[in-house]
Amino acid sequence: MNISSSPSPVAAQGCGSGACQCGGPAAAPELPTASVNGVSLHVPGQRPDTGTLRELAYAELLRQEAVRQGLFLSPAVSSAPELGQAEREVIEAMVDQSVQTPRPTDEEGRRYYEAHKAQFLVGQALHVRHILFAVTPGVNVQALTVHAERALLELSHKGVAPGRFAQLAAELSNCPSSAQGGDLGWIGPDDCAPELATELFHLQHAQTGTGVHPRLFHTRFGFHIIDVLERRSGTQPAYEEVRERIAALLTMQSRARALHQYMSLLVGEAEIEGIALEGADSPLVQ
């Protein structure tokens, strides 16, 4: 909020009444102070954004756990202290010791490979064009969705004119590719947003067919109408060629679950005020 401008004399002085009806601005409600076991996470009245506040809460939970275990001495504090590098290293070692991550078995790796073969294709590529309806601050998402759905419905008709997609891309798309009729050229799984890569390359239904996809794709950028023009199917490596890659992936997933459980336990045992927490991956220990 910009508070650099001075208030008007009337607004600054008010009428002096406890139940003022003079039309001056009402005082903003004081933001609650978040705390963990009575230790405040920020200066009263200067509440950080939710994401930052959660990071502070998880860090303080871990600091208090390290103190409880006697890993370093800490005087009684009323506000969360900033962690130094040495303290962070102690906490990371504590978490590593508490969060055990067993290496996946070869059987588990093979099961994952069979269920996610498309994820390991080599040389897979699509010639794609799209129309992007960007979700920007202040946009009416519901109206934007209706607008995008209307365009998708038109392009899904069997009798649509061959050049209509390029025309609509030039008129509607918020992507620079609109100048080329929405054409993105040949792309692989690593050339687009992860959520788009999943839909286009990794799911079973994404392995065959061309044409306009029957539903909108939703990514961090907005809503996309996707038209697959051509495909290169790629080659499927044997399990032995990707065994270590799968083992690393499964180990990472296992650690994430174990860390979530560990943080959930700390959250459940703590008295937390002013913010809702779940057990989550703390950036401190990633």
Side-chain angles (χ1 to χ4, degrees), residues 56 59-60 63 79-85 87-88:
L56 292 171
E60 178 58 18
R63 185 195 70 82
S79 60
E82 183 175 352
L83 297 174
Q85 182 60 33
E87 292 169 313
R88 287 178 174 271

Side-chain angles (χ1 to χ4, degrees), residues 144-169:
L144 184 67
T145 304
V146 171
H147 190 45
E149 291 281 7
R150 186 180 297 119
L152 176 60
L153 181 62
E154 178 183 349
L155 292 171
S156 300
H157 288 160
K158 292 184 178 180
V160 64
R164 185 56 175 161
F165 192 102
Q167 182 182 3
L168 286 179

Side-chain angles (χ1 to χ4, degrees), residues 151-251:
L152 176 60
L153 181 62
E154 178 183 349
L155 292 171
S156 300
H157 288 160
K158 292 184 178 180
V160 64
R164 185 56 175 161
F165 192 102
Q167 182 182 3
L168 286 179
E171 295 174 1
L172 305 175
S173 184
N174 300 121
C175 177
S177 65
S178 61
Q180 291 78 44
D183 197 335
L184 296 173
W186 286 93
I187 63 172
D190 297 329
D191 300 324
C192 52
E195 54 268 41
L196 195 57
T198 296
E199 290 284 352
L200 288 175
F201 295 98
H202 298 156
L203 299 181
Q204 291 297 325
H205 71 73
Q207 301 309 303
T208 60
T210 58
V212 176
H213 197 276
R215 65 177 180 82
L216 295 175
F217 283 65
H218 187 197
T219 72
R220 68 196 70 179
F221 303 109
F223 302 103
H224 306 251
I225 296 175
I226 298 290
D227 184 18
V228 177
L229 301 173
E230 301 175 81
R231 288 180 171 273
R232 293 176 186 155
S233 58
T235 58
Q236 184 72 57
Y239 167 70
E240 287 71 21
E241 298 178 61
V242 294
R243 176 191 284 116
E244 290 304 316
R245 179 179 165 190
I246 293 175
L249 176 62
L250 293 179
T251 298

